[in-house]
Amino acid sequence: MALPEKNYGVFVLALVALLASVSVCVSVYFSARHPRRKAATLKMDEASLTVNNELDSEMFVSWLSDHCYQCVYQPLGVVPARPAPGVPSSVDFTVGTQHGINLQMNSSALNLELCTVQFHFGEHGNYSLWVKNLNDSSVVNCSLVTDTEPVSSYLREYTATHKHSIAQALSLTLFISYCLSCFQELGSPGGIVETATDSILPNPASPIRRLRSLDTFRGISLVIMVFVNYGGGRYWFFRHESWNGLTVADLVFPWFVFIMGTSTSLSVSSALRSGLTRFSLFAKVLWRSTQLFLIGVFVINPNYCQGPPWDTLRIPGVLQRLAFSYLAVAALDLCDAWWHSARDFLLYWPAWLCVVVLETVWLCLTFLLPVPGCPGGYLGPGGIGDMGQYPNCTGGAAGYVDRWLLGEKHIYQTPSSRLIYMSHMPFDPEGVLGSINSVLMAFLGLQAGKILLHYKNQHSSIMSRFLIWGLVLGVISATLTKCSLNEGFIPVNKNLWSLSYVTTLGCFAFVFLVLVYYTVDVRKWWSGAPFFYPGMNSILVYVGHEVLEEYFPFRWRMANSQSHAEHLTQNLLATSCWVLISFVLYRKKIFWKI
């Protein structure tokens, strides 16, 4: 069907803007081939350090990342004694720049600490560390000098001549978002549209009126997830945290689980009202969960055409955890419908009781299960953490259960803890014990759905209850963590999907949902575009971005693979392609459901 003249004009403008954006990306790409400074021997997130020794004895240099909690110093190298008075000996080292570093100089002969230096090196910078005696020969002085200023990898890597291009690219991106928002379905009143339901939820007998904010929330989570999975410009804050703590990459998967629970509540309620029996609905839920699990196993294992490597087949994964969480919360919701049909929280106590039992199981297994060679209740990363006392205890009970139940070769082999804590044990962040807490996250989303159902069109009541839930979960998180990164009872940890991680992200999810709900469905200031479109086709976008990751236009050969700028350009363009694909599929009413 032909587009209306008005929409056709907007489409042309959007196409022109897209082509202009591509031209900007191309100009930045070629400009990156002539950077302001190029260190031939340095890679991304590295700097050069020259240690000059003016002492009469050789010196042992070791280092420790500021991001490594209770870790042992790691050897960097040995600097020989000066060959003659006034003639220092020098050795060049390469150091990381993502986090601050503590350098420790020890006397090789007596193993005595001479001095320590704490510094955050800049990418591709050149530095000199001078170690010498002062007037008193027993006092050693260490001084760090910047020989060559580093480049800034945080967008300022572009020179001043590119500022206009950056501003143009950002403005064009906003313009495209506006153009996409103009393509809302004609006749969709008040931001509520009649469309297909969520990709993994049962189909009601007739189309349902759905809140646009939920799809927008899901789309935001999905778009960030795709961008992060594609590399996020190779910036550390777009990668998963090495152990305790949060980065941007750690936010989106729990939010996706949360909004899945919300959609489950609305979909199950609609299906039951349309006349489906609970048994038939549960059978559909079970079948869809099985499909989602199998698709997840297919996606995360390479060699799609040749078949998976059965001896090293990875079993846990993102879609597998979604399948388990969906099955659990949908079953709880269906069982809950047998017991009560009333408002909000108190009369859903049977389902909450099941969740409490699950959390009790998680707590008991985590803190009481004996793990060979590890202390009881160990939540650390192993490796060089905890002063290197438990190198094989990565994840404690969570890692032990996965290795015992699934086998070492069938779980994730390169966990994020290996980067900072140098752990060598396989550990899967989508493992068995963490799946229990993902059920809690989905159930919190289910609770949000109950609020939407029971306080329909009562915007103030809905938002106030969302905020109350956010406050309660925030207080629980503050108690569990003692408002600290590493010193709490249960630290925030994405790898473990710890209880505090779920309550913290649940708090964020309720507050963020309030903002999206208010701007999209209440005030109608924003249509949700462009995030609304991938949110309507979430399974297709997720599976597609995983399967086609290595193909053009999602990836291409770079002129300089050690440039954050080129990685950022590639990852942004690849993510934008999936947003555009989801928009086209939405216009053609193509939705992949399982």
Side-chain angles (χ1 to χ4, degrees):
M1 184 175 66
L3 289 172
E5 183 177 353
K6 178 180 177 182
N7 282 357
Y8 182 79
V10 176
F11 176 79
V12 173
L13 288 175
L15 182 60
V16 172
L18 178 61
L19 293 175
S21 297
V22 172
S23 67
V24 170
C25 292
V26 171
S27 67
V28 172
Y29 171 80
F30 283 105
S31 66
R33 300 180 66 176
H34 304 283
R36 178 170 57 120
R37 180 188 297 106
K38 183 175 181 180
T41 59
L42 294 177
K43 297 181 180 180
M44 188 183 301
D45 297 322
E46 289 184 349
S48 176
L49 173 66
T50 301
V51 179
N52 302 284
N53 185 10
E54 294 189 7
L55 304 180
D56 293 326
S57 60
E58 69 175 7
M59 183 175 61
F60 185 76
V61 184
S62 55
W63 70 281
L64 177 64
S65 171
D66 285 347
H67 222 58
C68 199
Y69 178 67
Q70 291 185 345
C71 295
V72 294
Y73 276 88
Q74 297 301 295
L76 187 61
V78 177
V79 182
R82 64 180 182 179
V87 183
S89 62
S90 301
V91 177
D92 294 329
F93 300 104
T94 299
V95 293
T97 63
Q98 290 187 350
H99 307 289
I101 289 179
N102 292 282
L103 294 172
Q104 185 181 80
M105 275 58 68
N106 291 340
S107 170
S108 297
L110 302 176
N111 197 26
L112 296 176
E113 181 180 326
L114 301 175
C115 62
T116 57
V117 175
Q118 195 281 334
F119 193 75
H120 195 156
F121 295 92
E123 186 176 18
H124 292 182
N126 294 314
Y127 303 88
S128 294
L129 177 63
W130 293 85
V131 182
K132 54 188 175 181
N133 290 117
L134 297 179
N135 296 331
D136 185 352
S137 60
S138 63
V139 178
V140 177
N141 175 261
C142 294
S143 57
L144 190 67
V145 179
T146 301
D147 297 324
T148 305
E149 290 293 333
V151 299
S152 176
S153 59
Y154 304 107
L155 295 182
R156 292 192 298 270
E157 183 176 335
Y158 300 110
T159 62
T161 57
H162 300 144
K163 290 182 179 178
H164 177 71
S165 297
I166 296 172
Q168 182 184 3
L170 291 175
S171 61
L172 287 173
T173 302
L174 293 175
F175 179 72
I176 291 175
S177 300
Y178 169 76
C179 291
L180 291 180
S181 69
C182 293
F183 277 106
Q184 296 180 32
E185 287 291 327
L186 297 176
S188 298
I192 302 179
V193 294
E194 293 187 0
T195 60
T197 55
D198 192 3
S199 305
I200 59 172
L201 299 178
N203 298 323
S206 60
I208 63 172
R209 293 167 63 87
R210 61 192 288 157
L211 293 170
R212 199 178 183 93
S213 57
L214 302 186
D215 296 303
T216 302
F217 186 105
R218 185 187 302 108
I220 292 173
S221 303
L222 181 60
V223 167
I224 299 176
M225 189 185 299
V226 171
F227 175 67
V228 165
N229 288 348
Y230 276 158
R234 297 298 188 269
Y235 293 109
W236 68 267
F237 44 82
F238 286 132
R239 295 176 178 176
H240 292 296
E241 185 59 80
S242 185
W243 201 246
N244 294 335
L246 292 174
T247 64
V248 176
D250 298 322
L251 303 178
V252 289
F253 185 28
W255 285 357
F256 198 88
V257 174
F258 176 90
I259 207 65
M260 180 192 68
T262 305
S263 300
T264 299
S265 176
L266 302 179
S267 181
V268 168
S269 175
S270 176
L272 290 175
R273 289 199 306 270
S274 69
L276 288 176
T277 64
R278 295 179 181 87
F279 179 79
S280 63
L281 192 54
F282 178 75
K284 290 182 178 181
V285 167
L286 183 61
W287 173 236
R288 285 177 170 87
S289 299
T290 303
Q291 286 180 288
L292 192 61
F293 186 93
L294 294 177
I295 292 173
V297 173
F298 168 79
V299 165
I300 64 172
N301 290 281
N303 302 321
Y304 305 110
C305 298
Q306 301 176 7
W310 297 107
D311 56 335
T312 58
L313 182 76
R314 183 186 172 192
I315 298 175
V318 170
L319 294 182
Q320 296 91 308
R321 176 163 288 185
L322 283 174
F324 176 75
S325 302
Y326 167 58
L327 176 62
V329 296
L332 287 173
D333 199 25
L334 287 170
C335 292
D336 197 55
W338 281 100
W339 297 321
H340 287 289
S341 178
R343 297 169 77 86
D344 210 353
F345 172 72
L346 291 179
L347 296 182
Y348 287 101
W349 65 267
W352 273 104
L353 182 61
C354 293
V355 172
V356 170
V357 170
L358 283 175
E359 285 307 307
T360 303
V361 170
W362 182 84
L363 289 170
C364 291
L365 289 175
T366 300
F367 291 99
L368 301 180
L369 180 68
V371 179
C374 305
Y378 183 71
L379 300 176
I384 64 174
D386 300 289
M387 306 311 296
Q389 299 180 75
Y390 316 111
N392 300 324
C393 294
T394 303
Y400 176 69
V401 168
D402 287 342
R403 292 189 293 270
W404 174 77
L405 191 62
L406 305 176
E408 284 193 9
K409 293 184 178 180
H410 297 288
I411 60 178
Y412 195 44
Q413 300 297 307
T414 55
S416 59
S417 57
R418 78 190 191 282
L419 297 176
I420 300 293
Y421 291 92
M422 302 182 184
S423 57
H424 59 274
M425 294 294 292
F427 181 83
D428 207 306
E430 277 77 52
V432 176
L433 283 191
S435 297
I436 296 177
N437 282 342
S438 71
V439 172
L440 173 59
M441 190 72 191
F443 195 77
L444 291 173
L446 189 79
Q447 182 65 43
K450 298 298 184 184
I451 294 173
L452 291 170
L453 283 173
H454 294 305
Y455 298 94
K456 185 178 180 180
N457 297 326
Q458 301 178 40
H459 302 312
S460 297
S461 298
I462 289 173
M463 291 188 293
S464 62
R465 279 162 175 79
F466 283 173
L467 291 175
I468 290 172
W469 271 103
L471 176 62
V472 170
L473 291 172
V475 170
I476 294 174
S477 296
T479 303
L480 292 175
T481 63
K482 298 182 181 179
C483 297
S484 67
L485 181 62
N486 297 297
E487 302 295 338
F489 302 109
I490 303 178
V492 174
N493 190 293
K494 190 268 177 189
N495 284 285
L496 298 173
W497 269 68
S498 63
L499 180 56
S500 60
Y501 174 71
V502 171
T503 55
T504 300
L505 271 297
C507 169
F508 293 168
F510 272 109
V511 174
F512 187 49
L513 183 56
V514 168
L515 296 176
V516 178
Y517 176 75
Y518 183 74
T519 56
V520 174
D521 286 322
V522 179
R523 303 296 295 182
K524 300 178 179 62
W525 290 335
W526 178 34
S527 68
F531 303 105
F532 170 77
Y533 305 111
M536 291 290 295
N537 237 328
S538 55
I539 298 301
L540 185 146
V541 171
Y542 183 84
V543 173
H545 101 275
E546 287 278 7
V547 173
L548 302 176
E549 177 181 4
E550 299 298 329
Y551 297 92
F552 184 83
F554 310 108
R555 184 153 297 176
W556 60 81
R557 182 177 297 176
M558 297 182 181
N560 180 12
S561 62
Q562 299 304 316
S563 167
H564 281 288
E566 290 199 39
H567 280 282
L568 183 62
T569 300
Q570 184 182 85
N571 301 152
L572 284 174
L573 183 59
T575 305
S576 301
C577 286
W578 283 111
V579 175
L580 185 60
I581 290 170
S582 64
F583 167 70
V584 173
L585 294 176
Y586 175 81
R587 291 295 299 172
K588 293 182 176 294
K589 300 186 183 300
I590 298 175
F591 304 97
W592 182 25
K593 307 174 191 176
I594 57 175

